[in-house]
Amino acid sequence: MLSYILRRLALIPLTLFGIIALNFAIVQFAPGGPVEQVLAQLQGLNVGATARISGVAGDSVSTDSTYRGAQGLSPDLVAEIERQFGFDKPPLERFILMLGNYATFDLGESYFRSQRVSELIVDKLPVSISLGLWSTLIIYLVSIPLGIAKAVRDGSRFDAATSYAVFIGYAMPSFLFAILLIVLFAGGQYWNWFPLRGLTSDNWDDLSAFGKMLDYAWHLVLPVTAMVVGGFASLTMLTKNSFLEEINKQYVLTARAKGLSPNRVLYGHVFRNAMLIVIAGFPATLVGMLFTGSVLIEVIFSLDGLGLLGFEAIINRDYPVVFGTLYVFSLIGLVLNLLSDLTYHAIDPRIDFEAQSA
C-alpha cells in the first residue's frame, strides 16, 4: 500500500501542472483583462469583463491601439500599467515564473485588493470550511438512517412517500432552493426569521460565548439547509441500494436461517459491508460541498468565503486570485481523493489498490 500512496503523491504535481496549464492557456484568450479594465477606468469608460479587445484577445499585446481605451493615453503609461500587472513578459515566461512561485506556495498578490493571495485564502477559508463540514455532516446524519429505513421497508408506503421527497431534492438545484428559503424565511416575501447576509451579527463582539454559538448557528440555518437539500438525495439512494444489494446476498439468508434477529443481521452483518461505499465516499462528498455546492450559496447569501472570492476574482479578472484559489482547490481535492481511497482500504482491507494497479 505504501508504494501505491507514493505513486499517487507523485501524480499530484503532474495533475496540478495540467490543471494550471490548461486554465492559463484559456485565460490568454479571455477578453477584458486587468490592463484593459484599468485603461477603461482612466478614460472614464465602463468596460466590464466581457469587453472585447481589438487585436489579439489577451493582455500582453502592443500598445499601438490594441487596447480599447488606450487611445489618447501615452504609450509609456500603457507600458507601465502592463509592467505593474506583469504583462510586459511573454505568456510562457509568466507561466514558468508562476509555476516556480507555486512550488514554494507563493501565490502572488491580488491585482485589486492590495493583499497577498495566500492571506486572502486563509481569511476566507473558515467560511467555506464551515459550510462544507456542517453540510456534509448533516447530509450523512440524514441520509444514512433514511436510506437504511427505505431499504428495510422497500416497496412500502414509507418508501414511496420518502421517495417523493428524495426526487424533489434531487431535481431542485441548491441555489434555487436557497432563493425559495430567502423568499419564505429571510424577509423576501413572508417571514423574516433568519438573517440574509454573513455568518455573524453586527454585535458579535458583545455576545457571550453561548450567544456567539447561537448567533453562528442562526446564520448557518438557511445556507446549510440549501446545500443539504441539494446533496442528501443521491446519498440516500446510494445507501438504500447498497443495503438492498447486501440484504439479498447468500450470507444474509444464512444468518436468518440460523435464527438471528433482524437487527442482529442488519447491524451485525449487513451494516459493515453496505456502509463501505457510503463512508468511503465522505472525502469526495466534502470536496463537492466545499468547492462546488458552496460557490453559488456564498454568492446568494453574501458569505465571504472562497466561493465568493473566486467568483469576484473571475468577474474582475484578478488572475492571481483566480489561479491561487484554483491551485488550492485542486490540491485539497487531490489529497482528499487519496484519503478516500485510503478510507476504502481501512474499512475493508481486502481492497488492495496496489494489487489492482500492478
Side-chain angles (χ1 to χ4, degrees):
M1 194 65 182
L2 179 60
S3 60
Y4 172 77
I5 296 174
L6 293 177
R7 286 199 300 270
R8 287 291 300 271
L9 291 175
L11 284 174
I12 289 178
L14 296 177
T15 307
L16 286 174
F17 173 82
I19 294 172
I20 296 297
L22 177 61
N23 285 273
F24 185 87
I26 293 174
V27 161
Q28 304 313 303
F29 298 96
V35 174
E36 177 147 346
Q37 293 194 33
V38 171
L39 293 175
Q41 292 174 5
L42 292 176
Q43 294 284 59
L45 301 176
N46 185 19
V47 179
T50 57
R52 293 207 169 267
I53 302 173
S54 55
V56 180
D59 292 303
S60 183
V61 291
S62 62
T63 58
D64 50 349
S65 74
T66 52
Y67 288 117
R68 174 174 294 181
Q71 289 80 4
L73 296 178
S74 169
D76 294 335
L77 175 60
V78 176
E80 176 62 22
I81 295 174
E82 282 188 324
R83 187 191 63 78
Q84 290 178 1
F85 286 112
F87 289 103
D88 56 328
K89 302 179 181 65
L92 180 59
E93 183 178 349
R94 286 189 278 119
F95 179 67
I96 293 174
L97 288 174
M98 185 177 67
L99 290 181
N101 292 333
Y102 280 14
T104 59
F105 288 92
D106 179 7
L107 305 181
E109 185 172 339
S110 170
Y111 286 157
F112 305 110
R113 292 175 180 260
S114 299
Q115 190 175 357
R116 299 200 63 79
V117 176
S118 56
E119 296 175 357
L120 285 171
I121 292 176
V122 170
D123 290 341
K124 314 300 183 185
L125 192 59
V127 175
S128 297
I129 290 179
S130 294
L131 290 176
L133 282 179
W134 284 115
S135 300
T136 304
L137 289 175
I138 294 176
I139 285 173
Y140 269 76
L141 290 175
V142 172
S143 299
I144 291 176
L146 181 59
I148 294 175
K150 286 174 65 63
V152 173
R153 299 171 177 83
D154 184 42
S156 66
R157 291 183 178 180
F158 172 82
D159 182 37
T162 53
S163 293
Y164 286 114
V166 170
F167 292 149
I168 292 174
Y170 187 80
M172 180 175 291
S174 59
F175 72 89
L176 185 60
F177 191 74
I179 296 174
L180 177 62
L181 291 176
I182 291 174
V183 172
L184 292 177
F185 303 113
Q189 186 69 29
Y190 296 95
W191 302 282
N192 190 14
W193 292 349
F194 298 98
L196 181 59
R197 301 171 60 88
L199 285 182
T200 57
S201 300
D202 294 335
N203 62 337
W204 168 264
D205 295 331
D206 300 329
L207 299 175
S208 62
F210 183 70
K212 289 181 178 179
M213 292 175 58
L214 290 179
D215 183 74
Y216 173 72
W218 183 46
H219 282 77
L220 277 177
V221 169
L222 294 188
V224 168
T225 301
M227 294 178 67
V228 167
V229 168
F232 91 100
S234 57
L235 184 60
T236 299
M237 296 308 298
L238 176 65
T239 304
K240 176 189 174 181
N241 294 333
S242 180
F243 271 81
L244 279 179
E245 182 180 356
E246 293 296 325
I247 287 174
N248 295 323
K249 287 186 176 179
Q250 184 63 42
Y251 75 90
V252 176
L253 300 178
T254 303
R256 288 173 176 170
K258 290 181 178 180
L260 296 179
S261 65
N263 285 339
R264 180 69 182 276
V265 173
L266 181 64
Y267 295 104
H269 294 77
V270 175
F271 189 82
R272 179 180 177 180
N273 294 328
M275 288 299 294
L276 171 64
I277 189 172
V278 177
I279 296 177
F282 183 87
T285 304
L286 181 58
V287 171
M289 290 294 103
L290 282 175
F291 307 135
T292 305
S294 66
V295 175
L296 289 177
I297 299 300
E298 289 182 15
V299 174
I300 292 172
F301 289 98
S302 299
L303 300 176
D304 199 10
L306 286 180
L308 183 60
L309 175 66
F311 175 78
E312 292 178 346
I314 293 173
I315 295 299
N316 296 324
R317 295 296 193 266
D318 196 345
Y319 293 150
V321 177
V322 172
F323 288 115
T325 53
L326 175 65
Y327 177 75
V328 173
F329 283 174
S330 302
L331 180 60
I332 295 177
L334 292 170
V335 172
L336 288 179
N337 283 332
L338 175 59
L339 291 179
S340 180
D341 290 346
L342 298 180
T343 306
Y344 273 107
H345 181 74
I347 295 176
D348 189 349
R350 295 173 299 177
I351 298 178
D352 190 353
F353 292 101
E354 185 174 357
Q356 293 177 7
S357 60

